[in-house]
Amino acid sequence: MSQKIKEFREYRTMMNKRLLATDNLIIKRIFNLDTNTYTDGALSSTTKEMLGLVSSMVLRCDDCVKYHLEKCFEQGVTKPEILEIFAVANLVGGTIVIPHTRRALEFWEELESTIEK
Amino acid sequence: MSQKIKEFREYRTMMNKRLLATDNLIIKRIFNLDTNTYTDGALSSTTKEMLGLVSSMVLRCDDCVKYHLEKCFEQGVTKPEILEIFAVANLVGGTIVIPHTRRALEFWEELESTIEK
Amino acid sequence: MSQKIKEFREYRTMMNKRLLATDNLIIKRIFNLDTNTYTDGALSSTTKEMLGLVSSMVLRCDDCVKYHLEKCFEQGVTKPEILEIFAVANLVGGTIVIPHTRRALEFWEELESTIEK
Amino acid sequence: MSQKIKEFREYRTMMNKRLLATDNLIIKRIFNLDTNTYTDGALSSTTKEMLGLVSSMVLRCDDCVKYHLEKCFEQGVTKPEILEIFAVANLVGGTIVIPHTRRALEFWEELESTIEK
Amino acid sequence: MSQKIKEFREYRTMMNKRLLATDNLIIKRIFNLDTNTYTDGALSSTTKEMLGLVSSMVLRCDDCVKYHLEKCFEQGVTKPEILEIFAVANLVGGTIVIPHTRRALEFWEELESTIEK
Amino acid sequence: MSQKIKEFREYRTMMNKRLLATDNLIIKRIFNLDTNTYTDGALSSTTKEMLGLVSSMVLRCDDCVKYHLEKCFEQGVTKPEILEIFAVANLVGGTIVIPHTRRALEFWEELESTIEK
């Protein structure tokens, strides 16, 4: 696994643990909701992860983008599909999304390279 | 057709015409791109309209929400699916999205009522 | 009660009912969380409503602003306190918040006038 | 003068008066700064109004857009120039800016019609 | 003092000095206003810092969050109170705020560790 | 050339190349539009770059800010002019823009130092 992916995951895991350890009930429930929202329902989990990805892009949150890229990758979303999600995000959100798209593509290609090796 | 839907469409049509009549090339090309982005590709047009809808919701643009609701409606997206898109938008974008969700649901139900009659 | 306040409340009540009637579990739980977050805890409910108000202002959601103004009003927040919240919102969020501040002041003064009569 | 422009100006004037009447010093100073920022300096007042306009568009604040359209109009900015500002706003801010552009064009053309008559 | 806190403070101090050295009057006055807004008034300085913190979180500005965390820390805000501010921010602003919350908690715990040692 | 400027340019160039290599037509056209929008027209290219800069600042995208700073620098925009753009951005966008202004000033002064040497 690439160093970038590793660091991203480790920091997230560590800080989530520390956040949940604070025992703030509202934060716990938001984390819980976050998990439940993306499960299969009327829409498939895959479609929902794509919705999460495009939302994260137009709101320009790099870490959220990476998170949903990982999920999309696990669910078998293809690169041409990912690029069409990027296209919608850049159209709706504007060129302000381009720098996030560069970082998103880099992260996606690192995810792909983890299985090629 | 409900009065709300009618007024929304008429204003949009009228002002788009006036915008394009200004002959600003960049604006024309953005309108053109807007049409092309949502056509079938690696992702279906339906999925892309859903991506457009959720993006519009988290960016909290009522008119954009209405536009994509119309498109989703035309493409046969069901009400339970629409509600799951609303759910993702409210989770990712926060409770600040709730007032837009109220207006979105009202508009959706008006769209539905146009075919019930 | 002023007509504006009345219409605001009736629309919100009606559409919340229709939203919850859709039986989307995630939306129900977000509504539920919304209620629980503002109860007394380490911080008083009043302080939390002030936090909700300033957040709504910098995110520029008029309906959310009105909702938290109502809550602050019920909890006895004074007008000079409300104005200091407006001041923080306009400083942090910029002059883009001014139009929302105008509408917020109008709504607040209507709330005040409901008890003066 | 068109009814729309008249109402917009009257409401703004009335509420600004009420806001300043509250004697909140920070708000007064922000209003004061707002006036001073757009005066001639290294950049002309006209250029600064254009900067204010494009900022208001990408932040999607209709009232701020109208305010800066009025100022640009007074300063003799031409319609082709206004449209190029709209173009930058729609490119940088994305299609989410389109509905605001429709309303901005309508307001601009009303401003123009005030002198044609 | 942790390295992170030290670097954050040094960079801010250095660049603020360079910004003010440019002698742009508007920027100077905004910096001045920024100081005055958070002083005791109808609301205590502590409450205002909490308002500044939650605003910075929903607007997702890490540096602003750190700044207000420092101020809250100096004013004796407790960790359970900070977490309730985080909770409001994550509810109102959505899960897009989570990555900022992780970094905020890390910074807060570093502030706490500076006095434990 | 400073190390920061060099790294910024190299990463942008590399990732743009990889983005365009994906052959997503919409993304290609957005990149193309991005180039065309800032050319001379009713407004000069210089004015448009200033519009792009202020938009990037209020939308708080550091990489976009750097990009437009480079363009403004190439076009001969002076430091006092740049600071007045910063002033408008901080007024309209609020103190949330300050951290981005610090980084923007640092980048600008690095650009200036490249020609002093």
Side-chain angles (χ1 to χ4, degrees):
Chain A
M1 194 170 25
S2 88
Q3 194 56 27
K4 275 206 185 176
I5 299 176
K6 198 162 165 285
E7 280 171 19
F8 169 68
R9 286 183 186 163
E10 283 175 358
Y11 181 75
R12 187 177 62 204
T13 304
M14 174 186 71
M15 290 313 304
N16 280 358
K17 210 173 287 182
R18 275 160 69 176
L19 253 179
L20 296 176
T22 64
D23 261 332
N24 179 291
L25 189 60
I26 300 298
I27 291 176
K28 276 190 178 170
R29 290 178 63 190
I30 291 175
F31 269 66
N32 205 262
L33 254 186
D34 195 24
T35 307
N36 291 328
T37 301
Y38 297 99
T39 52
D40 284 324
L43 295 171
S44 70
S45 174
T46 305
T47 299
K48 287 179 184 178
E49 287 298 341
M50 292 195 260
L51 296 173
L53 175 57
V54 83
S55 300
S56 302
M57 289 193 84
V58 296
L59 291 173
R60 296 180 289 118
C61 171
D62 282 335
D63 279 10
C64 311
V65 167
K66 285 179 186 168
Y67 177 79
H68 288 292
L69 282 172
E70 282 191 326
K71 292 292 177 185
C72 286
F73 186 73
E74 287 169 20
Q75 304 239 1
V77 179
T78 68
K79 191 172 182 180
E81 289 171 333
I82 286 293
L83 280 152
E84 295 197 354
I85 298 171
F86 290 0
V88 172
N90 279 272
L91 177 84
V92 176
T95 54
I96 214 83
V97 179
I98 291 179
H100 303 269
T101 308
R102 282 193 283 261
R103 292 189 282 273
L105 179 66
E106 186 186 25
F107 195 78
W108 178 264
E109 293 184 342
E110 284 184 19
L111 287 169
E112 287 184 329
S113 74
T114 61
I115 51 160
E116 283 162 8
K117 286 163 192 172
Chain B
M1 190 171 28
S2 89
Q3 194 56 27
K4 275 204 185 179
I5 298 176
K6 199 162 165 286
E7 280 171 18
F8 170 69
R9 286 185 187 161
E10 283 176 359
Y11 181 76
R12 188 177 62 203
T13 303
M14 174 185 73
M15 290 313 304
N16 281 358
K17 211 172 285 181
R18 276 159 69 175
L19 253 179
L20 296 175
T22 65
D23 261 332
N24 180 292
L25 189 61
I26 301 297
I27 291 176
K28 276 191 178 169
R29 290 178 62 191
I30 291 175
F31 270 66
N32 204 262
L33 253 187
D34 195 24
T35 306
N36 291 328
T37 301
Y38 297 99
T39 52
D40 284 324
L43 293 172
S44 69
S45 175
T46 306
T47 299
K48 288 180 183 176
E49 287 298 340
M50 291 196 260
L51 296 174
L53 175 57
V54 83
S55 300
S56 302
M57 289 193 85
V58 297
L59 290 175
R60 296 180 289 119
C61 171
D62 282 335
D63 279 9
C64 312
V65 167
K66 285 178 187 170
Y67 176 79
H68 288 292
L69 282 173
E70 282 191 326
K71 292 292 177 187
C72 286
F73 186 72
E74 287 169 19
Q75 305 239 1
V77 178
T78 67
K79 191 171 181 182
E81 289 170 335
I82 286 292
L83 281 153
E84 295 196 354
I85 298 171
F86 290 179
V88 171
N90 279 271
L91 179 83
V92 175
T95 54
I96 214 82
V97 180
I98 291 179
H100 302 268
T101 308
R102 282 194 283 260
R103 291 189 283 272
L105 179 66
E106 185 187 24
F107 195 79
W108 179 264
E109 294 185 342
E110 284 183 19
L111 287 169
E112 287 184 329
S113 74
T114 61
I115 51 160
E116 283 163 8
K117 288 163 192 170
Chain C
M1 192 170 28
S2 88
Q3 193 57 26
K4 275 205 183 176
I5 299 177
K6 199 162 166 285
E7 279 171 18
F8 170 67
R9 285 184 187 162
E10 283 175 359
Y11 181 76
R12 187 177 62 205
T13 303
M14 174 186 73
M15 291 312 304
N16 280 358
K17 211 172 286 181
R18 276 160 66 177
L19 252 178
L20 296 175
T22 64
D23 262 332
N24 180 291
L25 189 60
I26 300 297
I27 291 176
K28 276 190 177 170
R29 288 178 64 189
I30 291 177
F31 269 66
N32 204 262
L33 253 186
D34 194 25
T35 307
N36 291 329
T37 301
Y38 297 99
T39 54
D40 285 323
L43 294 171
S44 69
S45 173
T46 306
T47 299
K48 288 180 184 175
E49 287 297 340
M50 292 195 261
L51 296 173
L53 176 57
V54 83
S55 300
S56 302
M57 289 193 83
V58 297
L59 290 174
R60 296 180 289 118
C61 171
D62 282 335
D63 279 9
C64 312
V65 167
K66 285 179 186 170
Y67 175 79
H68 288 292
L69 282 173
E70 281 192 326
K71 292 293 177 186
C72 285
F73 187 72
E74 286 169 19
Q75 305 239 2
V77 178
T78 68
K79 190 171 179 180
E81 289 171 335
I82 286 292
L83 280 153
E84 295 197 353
I85 298 170
F86 289 1
V88 171
N90 279 272
L91 178 83
V92 175
T95 54
I96 214 85
V97 179
I98 291 179
H100 303 268
T101 308
R102 282 194 283 260
R103 291 189 283 271
L105 180 66
E106 185 188 24
F107 194 78
W108 178 264
E109 293 184 342
E110 283 183 19
L111 287 169
E112 286 184 330
S113 74
T114 61
I115 53 161
E116 283 162 7
K117 287 162 191 170
Chain D
M1 192 169 26
S2 88
Q3 194 57 25
K4 275 207 184 176
I5 299 177
K6 198 161 166 286
E7 279 170 20
F8 170 67
R9 285 183 187 163
E10 283 176 358
Y11 181 76
R12 187 176 63 204
T13 303
M14 174 186 73
M15 290 314 303
N16 280 357
K17 211 172 285 179
R18 275 159 70 175
L19 251 179
L20 296 175
T22 64
D23 261 333
N24 180 291
L25 190 60
I26 300 298
I27 290 175
K28 276 189 178 171
R29 289 178 63 191
I30 291 175
F31 269 66
N32 204 262
L33 254 187
D34 194 25
T35 307
N36 291 327
T37 301
Y38 297 98
T39 54
D40 284 325
L43 294 171
S44 69
S45 174
T46 305
T47 300
K48 288 180 184 176
E49 288 298 341
M50 292 195 260
L51 296 173
L53 176 57
V54 82
S55 300
S56 301
M57 288 192 84
V58 296
L59 290 175
R60 295 181 289 117
C61 170
D62 283 334
D63 279 10
C64 312
V65 167
K66 286 179 185 170
Y67 176 79
H68 288 292
L69 282 173
E70 281 192 325
K71 292 292 176 187
C72 286
F73 187 73
E74 288 169 19
Q75 306 240 1
V77 178
T78 67
K79 191 171 180 181
E81 289 171 334
I82 286 293
L83 280 153
E84 295 197 354
I85 299 171
F86 291 180
V88 172
N90 278 272
L91 178 83
V92 176
T95 54
I96 214 82
V97 180
I98 291 178
H100 303 268
T101 307
R102 282 194 282 260
R103 291 188 284 272
L105 180 67
E106 185 187 25
F107 194 78
W108 178 264
E109 294 185 342
E110 284 183 19
L111 287 169
E112 286 184 330
S113 73
T114 62
I115 52 161
E116 283 162 8
K117 286 162 191 171
Chain E
M1 191 169 31
S2 88
Q3 194 57 26
K4 276 206 183 176
I5 300 177
K6 198 161 166 286
E7 279 171 18
F8 170 68
R9 286 183 187 162
E10 284 176 359
Y11 181 75
R12 187 176 62 204
T13 303
M14 175 186 73
M15 290 314 302
N16 281 356
K17 211 172 285 180
R18 276 159 68 175
L19 253 179
L20 296 175
T22 64
D23 261 333
N24 179 292
L25 190 60
I26 301 297
I27 291 176
K28 276 190 178 170
R29 289 178 64 191
I30 291 175
F31 269 66
N32 205 263
L33 253 187
D34 194 24
T35 307
N36 291 327
T37 300
Y38 298 98
T39 54
D40 285 324
L43 294 171
S44 69
S45 174
T46 306
T47 299
K48 288 180 183 174
E49 287 298 341
M50 292 195 260
L51 296 173
L53 175 57
V54 83
S55 300
S56 303
M57 289 192 84
V58 296
L59 290 173
R60 296 180 290 118
C61 171
D62 282 335
D63 279 10
C64 311
V65 167
K66 285 179 186 170
Y67 176 79
H68 288 292
L69 282 172
E70 281 192 327
K71 291 293 177 186
C72 286
F73 187 73
E74 287 170 20
Q75 305 239 3
V77 178
T78 66
K79 191 171 180 181
E81 289 171 334
I82 287 294
L83 280 153
E84 296 197 353
I85 298 170
F86 289 1
V88 171
N90 279 273
L91 178 82
V92 176
T95 54
I96 213 84
V97 180
I98 291 178
H100 302 268
T101 307
R102 283 195 281 261
R103 292 188 283 271
L105 179 67
E106 185 186 26
F107 194 78
W108 178 264
E109 294 185 341
E110 284 183 18
L111 287 169
E112 286 184 330
S113 74
T114 61
I115 52 160
E116 282 163 8
K117 285 162 192 173
Chain F
M1 193 170 25
S2 88
Q3 194 56 27
K4 275 204 185 180
I5 299 176
K6 200 162 165 285
E7 280 171 19
F8 169 69
R9 286 184 187 162
E10 285 175 359
Y11 181 76
R12 188 177 62 204
T13 303
M14 174 187 72
M15 290 312 305
N16 281 357
K17 210 172 287 180
R18 276 159 68 176
L19 253 178
L20 296 175
T22 64
D23 261 331
N24 179 293
L25 189 61
I26 300 297
I27 291 176
K28 275 191 178 168
R29 289 178 63 190
I30 291 176
F31 269 66
N32 204 262
L33 254 187
D34 195 25
T35 306
N36 291 329
T37 301
Y38 297 99
T39 54
D40 284 323
L43 295 171
S44 70
S45 174
T46 306
T47 299
K48 288 180 184 175
E49 287 298 341
M50 292 195 260
L51 296 173
L53 175 56
V54 83
S55 300
S56 302
M57 289 193 84
V58 297
L59 290 175
R60 296 180 289 118
C61 171
D62 282 336
D63 279 10
C64 311
V65 167
K66 284 179 186 168
Y67 176 79
H68 288 292
L69 282 173
E70 281 191 326
K71 293 291 177 188
C72 286
F73 187 74
E74 286 169 20
Q75 305 239 2
V77 178
T78 68
K79 191 171 180 182
E81 289 171 335
I82 286 292
L83 280 152
E84 296 196 354
I85 298 170
F86 290 0
V88 171
N90 279 271
L91 179 83
V92 175
T95 54
I96 214 84
V97 179
I98 291 178
H100 302 269
T101 308
R102 282 195 283 261
R103 292 189 282 272
L105 179 66
E106 186 186 23
F107 194 79
W108 179 263
E109 294 184 342
E110 283 183 20
L111 287 168
E112 287 184 329
S113 74
T114 60
I115 53 161
E116 282 163 8
K117 286 163 193 171

